[in-house]
Amino acid sequence: MNISEDELEQRLRELFADERLDLPPPPEAGTTIVAGARRRRRRRQGVLAVTGVAAAVVAVSGGLTMVRLHAEDGTAVMSADGSSISVKPPENLTAGRQPQTSVPGPTSTQDIEASSPPAPPTSKASRPPSAQPPSKLPPVLSGPLLGSDGFGTIKLGMSETQIAAQGVTLTEAQAGASCTVYTAQGSGVPSVATVVVSKAVGLTVVTPEQVAHTAEGIGAGSSKEQVLATYPAAKDESGGVVAPATDAADYHFRLGDSGVVQTSLMSVSQDCAG
């Protein structure tokens, strides 16, 4: 026979409510429970009393212990309840020498932290994050690249004819006794540049109009310290610094308030006026 959940729940409620299922306590249950609680209370009070007496005995015994130190012969004697114990001095206690005291080692992480000596203060002021050493500054890559042997396709030592063959036009000639100054531009050079061509040795000087950078990362805005750090053999010259590019040529860096403001490549064998 199938019954619904509601009917099943109703029957269970009626079953649990039936007084015939009750289990009444015996009449003496209350008295028994109270007597047991009193016994446990008396037992607990007795234990506390015994513990207090034992603690008092230990305290009195400790107070009766006597310690006597004898400094005449360096021997320590401790007497407790009539017994004596002799302790010899340390072996490293000799005449005219201070005893070496032993320092107990740390026993926990907190002891280790407390016993560690503080770090000595540094004498040098820390450098701010933005102030990097000259040699650690990022390389300058702005502007055209001025190589150690030339500029674009024109190379030191080329004649006017050889330069023109590289797709470079030479204009605004300013002739001198042995050299001629030109403005060079065209597909053979990265940007407009002033060049000096010697009748005897060919192209001797290249100075881009836009501040060029070298392969080592020196260019517009590089400081003098950075130039000297990049080229250890560099030397001061009037208005700037000269640094060897190769055995046959030097870089000439003109310096301003903001650092490098002009970069030139010059042959060491040039016969033109500086």
Side-chain angles (χ1 to χ4, degrees):
M1 177 178 63
N2 296 327
I3 60 176
S4 64
E5 293 183 0
D6 294 340
E7 294 178 355
L8 177 60
E9 183 177 357
Q10 182 63 28
R11 291 186 180 183
L12 290 175
R13 289 180 181 275
E14 294 175 355
L15 177 63
F16 293 148
D18 192 345
E19 296 180 354
R20 293 174 296 176
L21 298 179
D22 291 345
L23 184 62
E28 67 277 6
T31 304
T32 303
I33 293 173
V34 172
R38 289 177 178 175
R39 286 196 300 272
R40 294 189 61 183
R41 186 181 299 109
R42 288 195 299 270
R43 187 182 300 113
R44 185 181 300 109
Q45 292 175 352
V47 171
L48 292 177
V50 172
T51 302
V53 173
V57 172
V58 172
V60 172
S61 300
L64 296 177
T65 303
M66 295 181 296
V67 178
R68 294 183 293 108
L69 299 177
H70 295 271
E72 292 83 357
D73 56 353
T75 302
V77 178
M78 180 178 67
S79 298
D81 298 336
S83 61
S84 62
I85 301 176
S86 298
V87 181
K88 294 183 179 180
E91 295 180 356
N92 59 358
L93 185 61
T94 57
R97 180 179 176 182
Q98 295 295 330
Q100 298 179 358
T101 58
S102 60
V103 180
T107 58
S108 66
T109 303
Q110 294 180 352
D111 292 338
I112 293 176
E113 293 176 354
S115 61
S116 300
T122 56
S123 58
K124 296 183 179 180
S126 59
R127 186 188 300 269
S130 59
Q132 303 181 36
S135 60
K136 299 299 183 181
L137 292 174
V140 176
L141 301 177
S142 61
L145 172 64
L146 181 60
S148 59
D149 60 347
F151 189 51
T153 60
I154 63 175
K155 305 300 179 183
L156 294 177
M158 284 186 174
S159 64
E160 287 95 335
T161 303
Q162 292 172 326
I163 293 174
Q166 303 300 319
V168 177
T169 303
L170 299 176
T171 60
E172 302 178 8
Q174 301 177 25
S178 58
C179 302
T180 303
V181 179
Y182 296 98
T183 297
Q185 55 187 334
S187 60
V189 288
S191 67
V192 179
T194 299
V195 298
V196 179
V197 181
S198 169
K199 295 178 181 179
V201 296
L203 180 62
T204 59
V205 181
V206 180
T207 304
E209 289 188 0
Q210 182 183 1
V211 183
H213 69 275
T214 67
E216 291 75 25
I218 298 299
S222 296
S223 65
K224 179 179 179 180
E225 290 75 14
Q226 189 176 0
V227 174
L228 297 177
T230 304
Y231 302 100
K235 299 179 181 179
D236 290 336
E237 66 174 359
S238 178
V241 176
V242 56
T246 63
D247 293 338
D250 293 331
Y251 285 124
H252 291 257
F253 302 103
R254 187 159 63 88
L255 299 174
D257 294 338
S258 60
V260 174
V261 295
Q262 186 183 77
T263 306
S264 300
L265 179 68
M266 183 179 298
S267 173
V268 296
S269 61
Q270 63 97 8
D271 56 351
C272 305

